[in-house]
Amino acid sequence: MEPTQLFELVIAMLLAIIALHYAAHRLGLPPSVALLAGGALLAFVPGLPAITVDPGLVLVIFLPPLLMDGAWSIALVRLRRHMIGIASLAVGAVFFTCAVVAVVTHLLFPSLPWAACAALGAIVSPPDAVSARAVLERVRLPRRLQILLEGESLLNDASGLVLFRFAVAAAATGSFSAVEAAASFLVLALGGAIVGVIVGTAWVKFVRRLGDEYLIIAATVLLAWISYLLGELLHVSGVIATVTTGLIASWHQHTVFSAAMRMRGTSFWTVMIFLMEASVFTLIGLSLRDVVERGGGFATVIATMGLPMLAILVMLVIARFAWVFASDLVIRLCASLGFKRAQPLGAGGATVLSWTGVRGVVTLALALSLPGEFPGRDFILATSFSVILGTVLVQGTSLGRIIAWAQLVEPETERARLTMSQAEAAMAQAQLGTIQNLAYDPEGNLIHPQLLERYQRRATAIVDYAARTEHYIPVLHAHFDVVLEAVATGRRELIRLHRAGDIDDETLQELERDLDLEELSAISAKA
């Protein structure tokens, strides 16, 4: 394919992403479903060149920034609190699922070597970070379930990658050592964490000296790839390195970023992540053509592999249910023995957690990276795609109904000590204390009376609002509706003055930025 044609194809894919997202919004479907189905349909458009996905390149391009985004937005305090549960899902559930899939595959195809069966298990066992984000964006979960799923999606790829590498090596050499695999996993994880700490700490020190906003934003965007590639270069876990770097950067970004830098950087990063997530699902759909052609066509794939693929998909779901419910039973036993921190999820929470194992880009990339002569490669590839398709279409579309059925309630232990209104009141009191100290000169004369009066009035109003939030909500919404109307009127007048030639571009941009900040503040206050 000519470079110009490749560029045209990329632009066409981005336009298709916008159209499919819009269609999903209008139809009430998860965007991941529309993108996956749309990509699959586009793959068979007559005259469209076949899309060959380079698995290594896909992982390097898409996985680091998406992992970084997850680590950047995760609640670090709750992550530490639930680290045992997250490790159970990210390591234990992945290993258990891999074993179940390997056994089922070997029962279905006794002639297939155990290493190939284990490779399939490693490929389909880790739920995908991108798919998990796409599903969780459309639902509201209690904080504990949210952090368990987010933490699992950040860390389980490392488990799957280690299992996959050992399975492929075992297929090539004919030998496998569980002890060696466990030791290798610990070394890779620990080494990745060390790399992440070094890169994250260096980033904090670097951006504090960089000074220029746009250079800092650019350096932050590159941070994901730097940590991932450095980890892989040193033969440790690039996934763990990227996640660790993201957690450190997230913790310090509140002190190293200015307000303007945060607004600009967040806007750029949000659009970039949106396009990357959407491109991943579209590429998965486009790869269907290659999968079907390798299997001999739709009819051949369904006739020869349909039932085994369905059986593996069902056992994959059952394995996750078994692990989650067994883990919850252990937690319940610990709670009955007096361990206060042991809080079982309950049947509803365990069901929701079990139903969220959606697979995606990592599963596809690992399947495509199998050597051409690998035993059972075509079946593994077809099964991997069917698992992605099945989990996205079935679990992704039905999760909302499962959550509604479960009627989940936020435990008291997971609720923050202060509400947002109470936190605002605490900030207002602290700000008032500073103003009271600086409003007088060394001789005790009041030199900032209006400033002092404004902060006193603001602190009093916020404290009163925090005490009677429900009473003020209707009045508050009406108040900010008027503010938004005033902002819109001011914007129309500003544009009229500019169009008439009464103000220059610089004045337009400065005053428009003030209106934008006022509008964003009003919208945030209404939310």
Side-chain angles (χ1 to χ4, degrees), residues 420 424 465 472-485 518-527:
M420 184 180 294
E424 288 178 331
Y465 174 79
Y472 279 110
I473 284 178
V475 179
L476 184 72
H477 282 200
H479 169 83
F480 284 107
D481 283 338
V482 175
V483 172
L484 291 171
E485 286 293 333
E518 189 177 0
E519 181 178 343
L520 290 173
S521 178
I523 292 172
S524 176
K526 278 189 65 178

Side-chain angles (χ1 to χ4, degrees), residues 18-36:
I18 295 172
L20 291 168
H21 248 275
Y22 177 75
H25 175 71
R26 297 287 295 180
L27 297 173
L29 293 172
S32 56
V33 173
L35 292 165
L36 188 60

Side-chain angles (χ1 to χ4, degrees), residues 423-439 451-460 462-463:
E424 288 178 331
M427 287 194 306
Q429 293 287 359
Q431 289 175 320
L432 177 60
T434 297
I435 294 298
Q436 287 173 333
N437 290 332
L438 300 178
L451 198 60
L452 179 60
E453 181 185 357
R454 184 175 62 144
Y455 273 84
Q456 285 175 333
R457 187 169 61 250
R458 180 172 176 268
T460 301
I462 290 177
V463 170

Side-chain angles (χ1 to χ4, degrees), residues 96 313-323:
F96 177 72
L313 175 59
V314 171
M315 289 307 301
L316 191 73
V317 175
I318 291 175
R320 184 172 176 88
F321 268 86
W323 181 269

Side-chain angles (χ1 to χ4, degrees), residues 147-231:
I147 199 68
L148 286 173
L149 290 169
E150 290 178 354
E152 177 195 15
S153 68
L154 287 177
L155 301 176
N156 61 11
D157 290 337
S159 305
L161 286 167
V162 170
L163 287 173
F164 175 75
R165 288 170 181 169
F166 270 88
V168 173
T173 61
S175 62
F176 175 77
S177 170
V179 175
E180 185 181 349
S184 176
F185 176 76
L186 291 175
V187 170
L188 290 171
L190 182 60
I194 293 172
V195 170
V197 169
I198 294 172
V199 174
T201 304
W203 173 84
V204 173
K205 295 182 180 299
F206 179 66
V207 296
R208 281 177 171 160
R209 291 169 172 78
L210 203 53
D212 186 274
E213 291 182 0
Y214 295 105
L215 292 179
I216 292 174
I217 293 171
T220 304
V221 170
L222 293 175
L223 187 63
W225 286 288
I226 291 171
S227 56
Y228 183 86
L229 293 173
L230 183 59

